[in-house]
């Protein structure tokens, strides 16, 4: 391997030298090698010294595969050599504390699969105001037992055209109102001291139209136009439109935007101000990898690869999940393992399971470390609305049968809508049709049907297809908003019970649970976005309200909604942390209960066993299970219990541990 590395390394250097020569001679290529990119002006490669031994060893491990994939995609040795040299540069620039963490995590590759991992996602401005202020709130985060925070998009983005920060105009600059790169480094360092991991979004499918590349492209600079998808007329865009679905059919219809000032169409899968990057151009790939490594070096532990299925475009296809996407993610994984192996890749693939799973890659060639358990999340809310656990049981059976290396991120709510991506094939067998069922779910969660106490709003209701998605906070969807508004104490108790039960059930799943900030105190929908013209059209802002710190004060008062919820969740978090049966690698299975509204799940790990029972109905139910293979204790009360014909109160649950 050492020999092989030497040859290819030197070979790459030759490519690099040749390229430098070309540039000196002033020969500019039409596409690809942008002149304005600093990373291209690399120092000459030093001989691998003691200092970068780790880098050399990691490169040796991955070089051949990385080079193979790169050449397969781009066939450009110059650019590959440039990538390798910049990887080394970013490695050299990485600080020693992070390098030590890398070594530690390399020696314990399962470090993130432990039972104490608990995430929380929040917007910096909503949560605390600024990055510095987040640092001041780390005590609260610790109080929530959270050791992984997802800082929602914070890079520079134009006001009013930001898609919640997902339209990045500068990957190396923090939005001024939130802080600076120094603040980010300070925050990550402070988090690391407390054992908290930091996650950020890497929005790689597109840039903002205000990004330097986009601005140059708009001025007609061919070099930069080739980093996006530009078309003089609508003939090719029209052909794409025949096969490419729409992400925002109502708020941003179509996949292209006409730019009258430069007389071109540009591809914009998401909002018109989010221009899709062209990953056929190796300059785009390289530069985005440099941005990725730059951010990694600021102390990021988890990179959420935003909208990853979309990054490769091909005519006559849906432009989703194409094979080249997997080549790119696999390359990213290797690049991270070479430069910053302490980092985890979290893929955002909000699709059906058969499309999600390939993003884990294979055991030999892994891609993402973690993926969102999106179908389980949507099926959970379906179960709330139908009080019928059959589809959820089936979904969990699928997840439970997957290799234990796969780590899912489990959640009830996040910053996005719920798209109702359910297993409609199975539902069809029960006589349930997709369109009418989505209609029922949307009616239910708006509070119109099925004895619902939920509150929330539709999202991207498409009058043509009849499709619509849903927005609302966990608390509002559980009935806390309605009960509070109506000052109905009994209804409030019921809503809190449902909310806590859902968290308990989420915590019992394998993987990493992530709370949506505010859920720990039952924060309800925030309708004020309607008064803000920049947000009014996007109902996702209903569940993106500012943290109410006044209400959060109540966590110390057990007679308040916040106090009850916080206290009960804390109890569950502590159980999860304490009991090793919650590690990601435990055996998990579901158990038939003979009662349509009650879900039963088991976990087993190194001699420890736990049985969870969850009643999704507003009535008391009996679970007809016969699991009494020994003595069991109720983890919440400490009382002896028998997992046999268990009566479970309305929206109640049990966590029974075998003694
Ligand atoms: C992801 C984000 C979503 C955003 C989209 C475009 O899906 O979660 O909020 O609108 O990417 O970047």
């Amino acid at each position: 391997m050492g020999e092989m590395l030497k040859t290819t390394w030197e070979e790459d250097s030759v490519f690099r030298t040749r390229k430098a020569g070309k540039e000196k001679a002033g020969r500019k290529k039409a596409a690809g090698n942008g002149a304005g990119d600093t990373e291209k002006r690399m120092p000459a490669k030093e001989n691998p010294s003691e200092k970068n031994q780790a880098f050399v060893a990691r490169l040796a491990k991955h070089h051949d595969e990385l080079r193979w994939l790169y050449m397969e995609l781009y066939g450009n040795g110059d650019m590959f050599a440039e990538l390798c040299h910049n990887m080394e540069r970013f490695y050299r620039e990485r600080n020693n504390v992070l390098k030590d963490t890398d070594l530690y995590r390399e020696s314990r590759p399962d470090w993130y699969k432990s039972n104490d991992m608990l995430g929380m996602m929040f917007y910096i401005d909503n949560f605390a105001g600024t990055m510095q202020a987040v640092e001041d709130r780390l005590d609260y985060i610790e109080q929530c037992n959270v050791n992984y925070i997802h800082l929602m998009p914070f890079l520079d983005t134009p006001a009013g055209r930001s898609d919640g920060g997902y339209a990045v105009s500068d990957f190396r600059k923090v939005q001024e109102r939130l802080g600076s790169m120094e603040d980010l480094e300070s925050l990550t360092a402070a988090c690391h001291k407390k054992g908290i991991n930091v996650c950020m979004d890497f929005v790689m499918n597109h840039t903002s139209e205000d990004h330097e590349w986009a601005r140059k492209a708009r001025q007609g600079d061919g070099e930069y136009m080739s980093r996006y998808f530009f078309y003089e007329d609508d003939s090719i865009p029209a052909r794409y439109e025949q096969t490419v679905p729409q992400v925002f059919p109502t708020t941003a219809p179509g996949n292209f935007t006409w730019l009258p000032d430069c007389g071109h169409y540009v591809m914009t899968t998401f909002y018109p101000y989010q221009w899709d990057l062209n990953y056929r151009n190796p300059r785009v790939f390289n530069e985005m990898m440099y941005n990725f490594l730059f951010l990694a070096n600021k102390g990021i532990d988890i990179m959420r690869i935003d909208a990853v299925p979309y990054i490769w475009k091909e005519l006559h296809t849906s432009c989703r999940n194409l094979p080249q996407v997997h080549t790119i993610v696999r390359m990213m994984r290797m690049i991270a393992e070479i430069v910053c192996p302490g980092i985890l890749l979290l893929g955002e693939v909000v699709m059906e399971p058969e499309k999600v799973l390939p993003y884990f890659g294979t055991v030999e060639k892994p891609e993402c470390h973690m993926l969102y358990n999106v179908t389980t999340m949507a099926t959970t809310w379906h179960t709330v609305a139908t009080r019928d656990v059959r589809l959820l049981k089936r979904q969990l059976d699928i997840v439970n049968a997957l290799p234990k290396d796969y780590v899912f991120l489990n959640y009830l709510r996040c910053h996005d809508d719920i798209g109702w991506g359910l297993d409609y094939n199975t539902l069809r067998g029960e006589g349930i049709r997709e369109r009418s069922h989505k209609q029922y779910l949307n009616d239910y969660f708006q509070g119109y049907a099925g004895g619902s106490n939920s509150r929330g709003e539709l999202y991207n209701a498409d009058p043509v297809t009849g499709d619509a998605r849903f927005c609302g906070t966990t608390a509002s969807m559980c009935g806390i908003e309605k009960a509070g508004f109506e000052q109905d104490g009994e209804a409030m108790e019921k809503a809190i019970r449902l909310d806590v039960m859902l968290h308990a059930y989420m915590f019992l799943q394998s993987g990493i649970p992530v709370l949506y900030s505010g859920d720990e105190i039952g924060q309800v929908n925030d309708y004020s976005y309607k008064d803000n013209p920049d947000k009014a059209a996007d109902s996702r802002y209903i569940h993106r309200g500012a943290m109410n710190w006044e209400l959060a004060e109540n966590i110390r008062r057990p007679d308040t909604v916040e106090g009850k919820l916080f206290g009960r969740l804390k109890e569950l978090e502590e159980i999860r942390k304490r009991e090793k049966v919650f590690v990601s690698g435990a055996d998990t299975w579901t158990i038939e209960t003979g009662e349509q509204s009650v879900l039963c799940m088991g976990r087993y790990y190194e001699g420890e066993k736990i049985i969870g029972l969850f009643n999704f109905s507003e009535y008391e139910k009996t679970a007809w299970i016969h699991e009494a293979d020994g003595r069991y204790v109720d983890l919440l009360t400490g009382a002896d219990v028998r997992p046999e014909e268990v009566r479970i109160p309305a929206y109640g649950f049990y966590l029974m541990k075998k003694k």
Side-chain angles (χ1 to χ4, degrees), residues 125-142:
D125 53 352
N126 283 343
F127 182 71
T130 63
M131 278 185 181
Q132 279 178 12
V134 172
E135 217 174 306
D136 298 336
R137 294 273 188 202
L138 290 183
D139 288 347
Y140 177 78
I141 287 165
E142 281 186 308

Side-chain angles (χ1 to χ4, degrees), residues 163 166 203 206 248 270 274 304 306-307 348 415-416 540 544:
D163 184 23
Y166 285 102
V203 187
H206 41 259
F248 301 138
F270 292 84
Q274 288 165 311
R304 175 187 183 273
D306 180 63
E348 191 227 358
H415 67 295
D416 278 330
R540 289 177 298 178
R544 296 177 181 173

